[in-house]
Amino acid sequence: TIATPQHLVWGYNEAGRYDDTPQVIFYDQPDLRLTARREKAFDSVADLAVVTVDAPRSISTKKVYTASIKATPLNAEVWDIGRAGQWLVSPTPGYYKGSVDASPFVQVDGLPAVPGSSGGAVTLGSNLFGMVTGDIGRAGQLAWVLPAETILAELNEWGFETNIIAGPTYEPVPYGA
């Protein structure tokens, strides 16, 4: 089960315009492209959809804990791990700026969410903070991120198995620690 932005597999306003079998590329094996199945579960308000793939044995999934948005202080450092033509792990963090009024998204300032980076993981220390869904201006410096807690809740509601586990706290664990 792979959570991804709805606009990547369904289009923004044209349901069915995209291929029913999108290609999936994994960070660990960028030369491996797998054909996924586009599931009927999606939330256009949260820009969230699901694709499934039969992963080969060479791909292993690890349990990942969510970062608690409510417990995350403003200006906490978060990191983008995504793909915009090539794999990108930003050399600088973005900074959590809070919720976007009347939407399921949070804002992250300074995150290099350039076109093509939708669907990239955003991490807070060793926890999953959310998923990039779009750039909201300032030349890739202010991103909308769908919180991991929202993704987990939707996947559970839709009945999909996932390797995402609810994390109880804000844990600013640096990479490599």
Side-chain angles (χ1 to χ4, degrees), residues 75-92:
N75 296 312
E77 290 185 352
V78 297
W79 299 84
D80 179 26
I81 302 171
R83 181 178 167 92
Q86 62 182 353
W87 287 106
L88 168 71
V89 178
S90 175
T92 58

PDB file of all heavy atoms in Angstrom, residues 75-92:
ATOM      1  N   ASN A  75       8.167  26.152  14.217  1.00  0.00           N
ATOM      2  CA  ASN A  75       9.562  26.304  13.809  1.00  0.00           C
ATOM      3  C   ASN A  75      10.413  25.057  14.009  1.00  0.00           C
ATOM      4  O   ASN A  75      11.635  25.122  13.888  1.00  0.00           O
ATOM      5  CB  ASN A  75      10.221  27.521  14.455  1.00  0.00           C
ATOM      6  CG  ASN A  75       9.561  28.796  14.000  1.00  0.00           C
ATOM      7  OD1 ASN A  75       9.340  28.999  12.808  1.00  0.00           O
ATOM      8  ND2 ASN A  75       9.205  29.652  14.949  1.00  0.00           N
ATOM      9  N   ALA A  76       9.789  23.920  14.317  1.00  0.00           N
ATOM     10  CA  ALA A  76      10.552  22.671  14.403  1.00  0.00           C
ATOM     11  C   ALA A  76      11.144  22.358  13.025  1.00  0.00           C
ATOM     12  O   ALA A  76      10.501  22.603  11.995  1.00  0.00           O
ATOM     13  CB  ALA A  76       9.653  21.532  14.859  1.00  0.00           C
ATOM     14  N   GLU A  77      12.352  21.824  12.995  1.00  0.00           N
ATOM     15  CA  GLU A  77      13.005  21.476  11.734  1.00  0.00           C
ATOM     16  C   GLU A  77      12.431  20.180  11.176  1.00  0.00           C
ATOM     17  O   GLU A  77      12.341  19.178  11.886  1.00  0.00           O
ATOM     18  CB  GLU A  77      14.508  21.281  11.948  1.00  0.00           C
ATOM     19  CG  GLU A  77      15.253  22.541  12.244  1.00  0.00           C
ATOM     20  CD  GLU A  77      16.759  22.326  12.323  1.00  0.00           C
ATOM     21  OE1 GLU A  77      17.235  21.172  12.293  1.00  0.00           O
ATOM     22  OE2 GLU A  77      17.473  23.336  12.411  1.00  0.00           O
ATOM     23  N   VAL A  78      12.049  20.226   9.898  1.00  0.00           N
ATOM     24  CA  VAL A  78      11.590  19.031   9.188  1.00  0.00           C
ATOM     25  C   VAL A  78      12.381  18.921   7.886  1.00  0.00           C
ATOM     26  O   VAL A  78      12.908  19.909   7.373  1.00  0.00           O
ATOM     27  CB  VAL A  78      10.065  19.065   8.920  1.00  0.00           C
ATOM     28  CG1 VAL A  78       9.286  19.067  10.232  1.00  0.00           C
ATOM     29  CG2 VAL A  78       9.672  20.257   8.067  1.00  0.00           C
ATOM     30  N   TRP A  79      12.450  17.707   7.359  1.00  0.00           N
ATOM     31  CA  TRP A  79      13.292  17.437   6.190  1.00  0.00           C
ATOM     32  C   TRP A  79      12.475  16.794   5.087  1.00  0.00           C
ATOM     33  O   TRP A  79      11.626  15.943   5.339  1.00  0.00           O
ATOM     34  CB  TRP A  79      14.442  16.516   6.592  1.00  0.00           C
ATOM     35  CG  TRP A  79      15.321  17.134   7.629  1.00  0.00           C
ATOM     36  CD1 TRP A  79      15.115  17.126   8.995  1.00  0.00           C
ATOM     37  CD2 TRP A  79      16.507  17.880   7.401  1.00  0.00           C
ATOM     38  NE1 TRP A  79      16.120  17.825   9.608  1.00  0.00           N
ATOM     39  CE2 TRP A  79      16.999  18.291   8.667  1.00  0.00           C
ATOM     40  CE3 TRP A  79      17.223  18.232   6.253  1.00  0.00           C
ATOM     41  CZ2 TRP A  79      18.150  19.040   8.806  1.00  0.00           C
ATOM     42  CZ3 TRP A  79      18.380  18.972   6.409  1.00  0.00           C
ATOM     43  CH2 TRP A  79      18.831  19.371   7.664  1.00  0.00           C
ATOM     44  N   ASP A  80      12.753  17.171   3.868  1.00  0.00           N
ATOM     45  CA  ASP A  80      12.082  16.638   2.681  1.00  0.00           C
ATOM     46  C   ASP A  80      12.963  15.562   2.050  1.00  0.00           C
ATOM     47  O   ASP A  80      14.136  15.788   1.792  1.00  0.00           O
ATOM     48  CB  ASP A  80      11.854  17.772   1.673  1.00  0.00           C
ATOM     49  CG  ASP A  80      11.188  17.308   0.393  1.00  0.00           C
ATOM     50  OD1 ASP A  80      10.474  16.296   0.418  1.00  0.00           O
ATOM     51  OD2 ASP A  80      11.386  17.972  -0.638  1.00  0.00           O
ATOM     52  N   ILE A  81      12.367  14.395   1.824  1.00  0.00           N
ATOM     53  CA  ILE A  81      13.043  13.332   1.085  1.00  0.00           C
ATOM     54  C   ILE A  81      12.148  13.050  -0.104  1.00  0.00           C
ATOM     55  O   ILE A  81      11.082  12.466   0.042  1.00  0.00           O
ATOM     56  CB  ILE A  81      13.216  12.069   1.938  1.00  0.00           C
ATOM     57  CG1 ILE A  81      14.011  12.405   3.192  1.00  0.00           C
ATOM     58  CG2 ILE A  81      13.884  10.971   1.121  1.00  0.00           C
ATOM     59  CD1 ILE A  81      14.070  11.297   4.202  1.00  0.00           C
ATOM     60  N   GLY A  82      12.528  13.508  -1.277  1.00  0.00           N
ATOM     61  CA  GLY A  82      11.624  13.399  -2.415  1.00  0.00           C
ATOM     62  C   GLY A  82      12.344  13.270  -3.732  1.00  0.00           C
ATOM     63  O   GLY A  82      13.546  13.075  -3.794  1.00  0.00           O
ATOM     64  N   ARG A  83      11.571  13.407  -4.778  1.00  0.00           N
ATOM     65  CA  ARG A  83      12.091  13.224  -6.117  1.00  0.00           C
ATOM     66  C   ARG A  83      11.486  14.282  -7.021  1.00  0.00           C
ATOM     67  O   ARG A  83      10.276  14.365  -7.170  1.00  0.00           O
ATOM     68  CB  ARG A  83      11.737  11.831  -6.623  1.00  0.00           C
ATOM     69  CG  ARG A  83      12.252  11.542  -7.996  1.00  0.00           C
ATOM     70  CD  ARG A  83      11.883  10.105  -8.383  1.00  0.00           C
ATOM     71  NE  ARG A  83      12.090   9.887  -9.774  1.00  0.00           N
ATOM     72  CZ  ARG A  83      13.216   9.427 -10.298  1.00  0.00           C
ATOM     73  NH1 ARG A  83      14.218   9.123  -9.518  1.00  0.00           N
ATOM     74  NH2 ARG A  83      13.331   9.244 -11.593  1.00  0.00           N
ATOM     75  N   ALA A  84      12.331  15.070  -7.611  1.00  0.00           N
ATOM     76  CA  ALA A  84      11.898  16.056  -8.606  1.00  0.00           C
ATOM     77  C   ALA A  84      12.871  15.930  -9.772  1.00  0.00           C
ATOM     78  O   ALA A  84      13.709  16.771 -10.004  1.00  0.00           O
ATOM     79  CB  ALA A  84      11.897  17.456  -8.021  1.00  0.00           C
ATOM     80  N   GLY A  85      12.788  14.817 -10.462  1.00  0.00           N
ATOM     81  CA  GLY A  85      13.722  14.516 -11.544  1.00  0.00           C
ATOM     82  C   GLY A  85      14.843  13.626 -11.067  1.00  0.00           C
ATOM     83  O   GLY A  85      15.234  12.689 -11.720  1.00  0.00           O
ATOM     84  N   GLN A  86      15.361  13.914  -9.874  1.00  0.00           N
ATOM     85  CA  GLN A  86      16.362  13.056  -9.244  1.00  0.00           C
ATOM     86  C   GLN A  86      16.024  12.993  -7.757  1.00  0.00           C
ATOM     87  O   GLN A  86      15.293  13.821  -7.245  1.00  0.00           O
ATOM     88  CB  GLN A  86      17.756  13.611  -9.453  1.00  0.00           C
ATOM     89  CG  GLN A  86      17.972  14.982  -8.837  1.00  0.00           C
ATOM     90  CD  GLN A  86      19.363  15.517  -9.127  1.00  0.00           C
ATOM     91  OE1 GLN A  86      20.203  14.827  -9.673  1.00  0.00           O
ATOM     92  NE2 GLN A  86      19.600  16.753  -8.764  1.00  0.00           N
ATOM     93  N   TRP A  87      16.565  11.991  -7.070  1.00  0.00           N
ATOM     94  CA  TRP A  87      16.291  11.890  -5.644  1.00  0.00           C
ATOM     95  C   TRP A  87      16.926  13.060  -4.932  1.00  0.00           C
ATOM     96  O   TRP A  87      18.047  13.447  -5.217  1.00  0.00           O
ATOM     97  CB  TRP A  87      16.811  10.573  -5.086  1.00  0.00           C
ATOM     98  CG  TRP A  87      15.970   9.427  -5.507  1.00  0.00           C
ATOM     99  CD1 TRP A  87      16.281   8.483  -6.427  1.00  0.00           C
ATOM    100  CD2 TRP A  87      14.654   9.126  -5.077  1.00  0.00           C
ATOM    101  NE1 TRP A  87      15.245   7.613  -6.587  1.00  0.00           N
ATOM    102  CE2 TRP A  87      14.232   7.978  -5.764  1.00  0.00           C
ATOM    103  CE3 TRP A  87      13.773   9.720  -4.165  1.00  0.00           C
ATOM    104  CZ2 TRP A  87      12.983   7.406  -5.573  1.00  0.00           C
ATOM    105  CZ3 TRP A  87      12.533   9.145  -3.983  1.00  0.00           C
ATOM    106  CH2 TRP A  87      12.148   7.998  -4.670  1.00  0.00           C
ATOM    107  N   LEU A  88      16.203  13.611  -4.002  1.00  0.00           N
ATOM    108  CA  LEU A  88      16.656  14.794  -3.292  1.00  0.00           C
ATOM    109  C   LEU A  88      16.467  14.595  -1.796  1.00  0.00           C
ATOM    110  O   LEU A  88      15.382  14.285  -1.340  1.00  0.00           O
ATOM    111  CB  LEU A  88      15.830  16.012  -3.741  1.00  0.00           C
ATOM    112  CG  LEU A  88      15.961  17.279  -2.907  1.00  0.00           C
ATOM    113  CD1 LEU A  88      17.322  17.907  -3.121  1.00  0.00           C
ATOM    114  CD2 LEU A  88      14.863  18.262  -3.273  1.00  0.00           C
ATOM    115  N   VAL A  89      17.540  14.704  -1.072  1.00  0.00           N
ATOM    116  CA  VAL A  89      17.455  14.853   0.370  1.00  0.00           C
ATOM    117  C   VAL A  89      18.031  16.232   0.622  1.00  0.00           C
ATOM    118  O   VAL A  89      19.215  16.470   0.411  1.00  0.00           O
ATOM    119  CB  VAL A  89      18.253  13.774   1.123  1.00  0.00           C
ATOM    120  CG1 VAL A  89      18.171  14.010   2.623  1.00  0.00           C
ATOM    121  CG2 VAL A  89      17.728  12.386   0.773  1.00  0.00           C
ATOM    122  N   SER A  90      17.188  17.143   0.997  1.00  0.00           N
ATOM    123  CA  SER A  90      17.581  18.537   1.120  1.00  0.00           C
ATOM    124  C   SER A  90      18.739  18.708   2.090  1.00  0.00           C
ATOM    125  O   SER A  90      18.754  18.101   3.160  1.00  0.00           O
ATOM    126  CB  SER A  90      16.387  19.356   1.600  1.00  0.00           C
ATOM    127  OG  SER A  90      16.778  20.681   1.834  1.00  0.00           O
ATOM    128  N   PRO A  91      19.693  19.556   1.740  1.00  0.00           N
ATOM    129  CA  PRO A  91      20.797  19.829   2.662  1.00  0.00           C
ATOM    130  C   PRO A  91      20.398  20.770   3.804  1.00  0.00           C
ATOM    131  O   PRO A  91      21.138  20.938   4.757  1.00  0.00           O
ATOM    132  CB  PRO A  91      21.853  20.485   1.767  1.00  0.00           C
ATOM    133  CG  PRO A  91      21.054  21.126   0.683  1.00  0.00           C
ATOM    134  CD  PRO A  91      19.867  20.230   0.463  1.00  0.00           C
ATOM    135  N   THR A  92      19.232  21.368   3.692  1.00  0.00           N
ATOM    136  CA  THR A  92      18.750  22.277   4.737  1.00  0.00           C
ATOM    137  C   THR A  92      17.319  21.899   5.113  1.00  0.00           C
ATOM    138  O   THR A  92      16.554  21.412   4.274  1.00  0.00           O
ATOM    139  CB  THR A  92      18.769  23.746   4.262  1.00  0.00           C
ATOM    140  OG1 THR A  92      17.956  23.865   3.092  1.00  0.00           O
ATOM    141  CG2 THR A  92      20.191  24.204   3.951  1.00  0.00           C
TER     142      THR A  92
END
